[in-house]
Coordinates of all heavy atoms in Angstrom, one line a residue:
P24 N 136.0 109.6 93.7 CA 137.3 109.5 93.1 C 138.4 109.3 94.0 O 139.5 108.7 93.6 CB 137.4 110.8 92.3 CG 136.0 111.3 92.1 CD 135.3 110.8 93.3
L25 N 138.3 109.6 95.3 CA 139.3 109.4 96.2 C 139.6 107.9 96.4 O 140.7 107.5 97.0 CB 139.0 110.1 97.6 CG 138.7 111.6 97.5 CD1 138.3 112.1 98.9 CD2 139.9 112.3 96.9
L26 N 138.7 107.0 96.1 CA 138.9 105.6 96.2 C 139.9 105.1 95.2 O 140.3 103.9 95.2 CB 137.5 104.9 96.0 CG 136.5 105.2 97.0 CD1 135.1 104.5 96.6 CD2 136.9 104.8 98.4
A27 N 140.2 105.9 94.2 CA 141.1 105.4 93.1 C 142.6 105.3 93.5 O 143.3 104.6 92.9 CB 141.0 106.4 91.9
G28 N 142.9 105.9 94.6 CA 144.3 105.8 95.1 C 144.7 106.9 96.0 O 144.0 108.0 96.1
D29 N 145.8 106.7 96.8 CA 146.2 107.7 97.7 C 146.8 109.0 97.1 O 146.9 110.0 97.8 CB 147.3 107.1 98.6 CG 146.8 105.9 99.5 OD1 145.6 105.9 99.7 OD2 147.6 105.0 99.9
N30 N 147.1 108.9 95.8 CA 147.7 110.0 95.1 C 146.6 111.0 94.6 O 146.9 112.0 94.0 CB 148.6 109.6 94.0 CG 147.8 108.7 93.0 OD1 146.9 108.0 93.3 ND2 148.2 108.8 91.7
I31 N 145.3 110.6 94.8 CA 144.2 111.4 94.4 C 143.7 112.2 95.6 O 143.4 111.6 96.6 CB 143.0 110.6 93.8 CG1 143.5 109.7 92.7 CG2 141.9 111.5 93.3 CD1 144.2 110.5 91.5
S32 N 143.6 113.5 95.5 CA 143.2 114.4 96.7 C 142.0 115.2 96.3 O 141.7 115.5 95.2 CB 144.4 115.2 97.1 OG 144.7 116.2 96.1
S33 N 141.4 115.7 97.4 CA 140.3 116.6 97.2 C 140.6 117.9 96.5 O 139.8 118.5 95.8 CB 139.6 117.0 98.6 OG 139.1 115.8 99.2
A34 N 141.9 118.3 96.6 CA 142.4 119.5 96.0 C 142.3 119.4 94.5 O 142.1 120.4 93.8 CB 143.8 119.8 96.4
F35 N 142.3 118.2 93.9 CA 142.1 118.0 92.5 C 140.7 117.7 92.2 O 140.1 118.3 91.2 CB 143.0 116.9 92.0 CG 142.6 116.3 90.7 CD1 142.9 117.0 89.5 CD2 141.9 115.1 90.5 CE1 142.5 116.5 88.2 CE2 141.5 114.6 89.3 CZ 141.8 115.3 88.1
V36 N 140.0 116.9 93.0 CA 138.7 116.4 92.6 C 137.7 117.5 92.7 O 136.8 117.6 91.8 CB 138.3 115.2 93.6 CG1 136.9 114.8 93.3 CG2 139.3 114.0 93.3
V37 N 137.6 118.2 93.8 CA 136.5 119.2 94.0 C 136.5 120.2 92.9 O 135.4 120.5 92.3 CB 136.6 119.8 95.4 CG1 135.6 120.9 95.5 CG2 136.4 118.8 96.5
P38 N 137.6 120.9 92.5 CA 137.5 121.9 91.4 C 137.2 121.2 90.1 O 136.5 121.8 89.2 CB 138.9 122.5 91.4 CG 139.5 122.2 92.7 CD 138.9 120.9 93.2
T39 N 137.6 119.9 89.9 CA 137.3 119.2 88.7 C 135.8 118.9 88.5 O 135.2 119.1 87.5 CB 138.1 117.9 88.6 OG1 139.5 118.2 88.7 CG2 137.9 117.2 87.3
V40 N 135.2 118.5 89.6 CA 133.8 118.3 89.6 C 133.0 119.6 89.4 O 132.1 119.7 88.6 CB 133.3 117.7 91.0 CG1 131.8 117.7 91.1 CG2 133.8 116.3 91.2
A41 N 133.5 120.7 90.0 CA 132.9 122.0 89.8 C 132.9 122.4 88.3 O 132.0 123.1 87.8 CB 133.5 123.0 90.7
S42 N 134.0 122.1 87.6 CA 134.1 122.6 86.2 C 133.5 121.6 85.3 O 133.2 122.0 84.1 CB 135.6 122.8 85.9 OG 136.3 121.6 86.0
C43 N 133.4 120.3 85.7 CA 132.9 119.3 84.7 C 131.4 119.2 84.7 O 130.8 119.3 83.6 CB 133.4 117.9 85.2 SG 135.1 117.6 84.8
F44 N 130.7 119.1 85.8 CA 129.3 119.0 85.8 C 128.6 120.3 85.8 O 129.0 121.3 86.4 CB 128.8 118.2 87.1 CG 129.1 116.7 86.9 CD1 130.1 116.1 87.6 CD2 128.2 115.9 86.1 CE1 130.3 114.7 87.4 CE2 128.4 114.6 86.0 CZ 129.5 114.0 86.6
D45 N 127.5 120.3 85.0 CA 126.7 121.6 84.9 C 125.4 121.5 85.6 O 124.9 122.5 86.2 CB 126.4 121.9 83.4 CG 127.7 122.0 82.6 OD1 128.5 122.8 82.9 OD2 127.9 121.2 81.6
L46 N 124.7 120.3 85.6 CA 123.4 120.2 86.1 C 123.3 118.9 87.0 O 124.0 117.9 86.7 CB 122.3 120.0 85.0 CG 122.0 121.2 84.1 CD1 120.9 120.8 83.1 CD2 121.5 122.4 84.9
V47 N 122.5 119.0 88.1 CA 122.2 117.8 88.9 C 120.7 117.7 88.9 O 120.0 118.6 89.4 CB 122.7 117.9 90.3 CG1 122.4 116.7 91.1 CG2 124.2 118.2 90.3
I48 N 120.1 116.6 88.5 CA 118.7 116.3 88.5 C 118.4 115.3 89.6 O 118.9 114.1 89.5 CB 118.2 115.8 87.2 CG1 118.6 116.7 86.0 CG2 116.7 115.5 87.2 CD1 118.3 116.1 84.7
H49 N 117.7 115.7 90.6 CA 117.4 114.7 91.7 C 116.0 114.2 91.6 O 115.0 114.9 91.5 CB 117.6 115.4 93.1 CG 117.4 114.5 94.2 ND1 118.3 113.5 94.5 CD2 116.4 114.3 95.1 CE1 117.9 112.8 95.6 NE2 116.7 113.3 96.0
C50 N 115.9 112.8 91.5 CA 114.6 112.1 91.4 C 114.2 111.5 92.8 O 115.1 111.1 93.6 CB 114.7 111.0 90.4 SG 115.3 111.5 88.7
G51 N 113.0 111.4 93.0 CA 112.5 110.8 94.2 C 111.1 110.2 94.0 O 110.5 110.2 92.9
R52 N 110.5 109.7 95.1 CA 109.2 109.2 95.1 C 108.4 109.8 96.2 O 108.9 110.1 97.3 CB 109.2 107.7 95.3 CG 109.8 106.9 94.2 CD 109.5 105.4 94.3 NE 110.0 104.8 95.5 CZ 109.7 103.6 95.9 NH1 109.0 102.8 95.1 NH2 110.2 103.1 97.0
D53 N 107.1 110.1 95.9 CA 106.2 110.7 97.0 C 105.7 109.6 97.9 O 106.1 108.4 97.8 CB 105.1 111.5 96.4 CG 104.2 110.7 95.5 OD1 104.2 109.5 95.6 OD2 103.4 111.3 94.7

């Protein structure tokens, strides 16, 4: 999200990600 513009900072993005996403499913190959 920081690529969206100079006015977007980690101070906004990181807490927003923490409150928005609940699960991360990681897929791979053996």
